[in-house]
Amino acid sequence: MENEESRYELPENYEELKKAANRTADWKARLAAVEELGQWKNKQTIDILTRLVTSDPVYTVQEAAYLKLKAFGEEIAAPSKNKPELVKGVSKIVLRIKKSLPKDHTYEEFKEKLKKMRVDVYDIYEGEKGADFDKWLQKIWEDAPATGRR
């Protein structure tokens, strides 16, 4: 059972995985870290996975961490998919960015500026909305008052 015992050790790239699990602006890196950390059952990986289940803003990451912990036999509450507002004040953030652009800016210009100015917000909603992200972002952009620079 040498292979089974090795699962209780830390992976060689543990520090890199720990950093990836903490990348606030890259939900895909956090998800990849969950997948790899979920192959190693020990206190450090369980602690990281538990934190991601309870506090990651992207449900996909929370769910993946939850499933890894359940596979380890850990008792943990399932994450809730229904969160009213992932980022507090997102409509104000959108409005501020929209106002900072010329009045006749395009959706693509807005999207790029959001990504540059608030990559954390962009990343959270991209991860949460998935294939509907562009449709959601365009709607929130269109609904924000049209007061930009001249």
Side-chain angles (χ1 to χ4, degrees):
M1 285 275 178
E2 187 178 310
N3 191 19
E4 184 67 26
E5 287 176 19
S6 68
R7 289 186 63 220
Y8 295 95
E9 299 170 8
L10 285 175
E12 287 181 27
N13 60 344
Y14 172 74
E15 288 302 320
E16 293 161 32
L17 292 171
K18 185 176 168 183
K19 285 179 188 173
N22 288 320
R23 284 202 183 99
T24 57
D26 193 347
W27 71 273
K28 291 176 185 170
R30 294 193 311 274
L31 183 59
V34 165
E35 293 301 325
E36 196 161 341
L37 288 168
Q39 304 302 310
W40 303 85
K41 182 180 179 180
N42 57 59
K43 178 162 177 21
Q44 291 95 323
T45 58
I46 289 171
D47 288 349
I48 291 170
L49 294 171
T50 300
R51 180 185 55 77
L52 291 170
V53 168
T54 59
S55 65
D56 197 279
V58 176
Y59 178 76
T60 303
V61 176
Q62 288 181 330
E63 182 182 42
Y66 168 77
L67 293 172
K68 294 296 182 184
L69 288 169
K70 291 303 279 182
F72 287 162
E74 296 293 311
E75 289 296 320
I76 188 161
S80 172
K81 190 170 174 102
N82 299 324
K83 294 177 222 153
E85 191 174 53
L86 299 174
V87 176
K88 188 174 180 172
V90 71
S91 56
K92 287 181 182 177
I93 293 167
V94 167
L95 182 59
R96 202 171 313 128
I97 291 171
K98 190 170 181 177
K99 282 182 173 182
S100 73
L101 291 164
K103 195 171 191 153
D104 60 349
H105 70 273
T106 65
Y107 165 70
E108 289 301 323
E109 291 168 327
F110 164 78
K111 183 178 172 182
E112 271 310 302
K113 187 149 188 185
L114 173 64
K115 192 172 187 178
K116 285 181 186 171
M117 289 181 68
R118 292 299 306 263
V119 68
D120 59 330
V121 172
Y122 186 96
D123 182 73
I124 288 167
Y125 281 98
E126 179 190 43
E128 192 65 25
K129 301 292 182 184
D132 294 331
F133 173 69
D134 267 313
K135 187 168 59 174
W136 170 82
L137 186 60
Q138 186 154 7
K139 171 124 177 59
I140 201 167
W141 169 72
E142 288 169 354
D143 290 349
T147 54
R149 292 182 293 165
R150 294 175 199 266

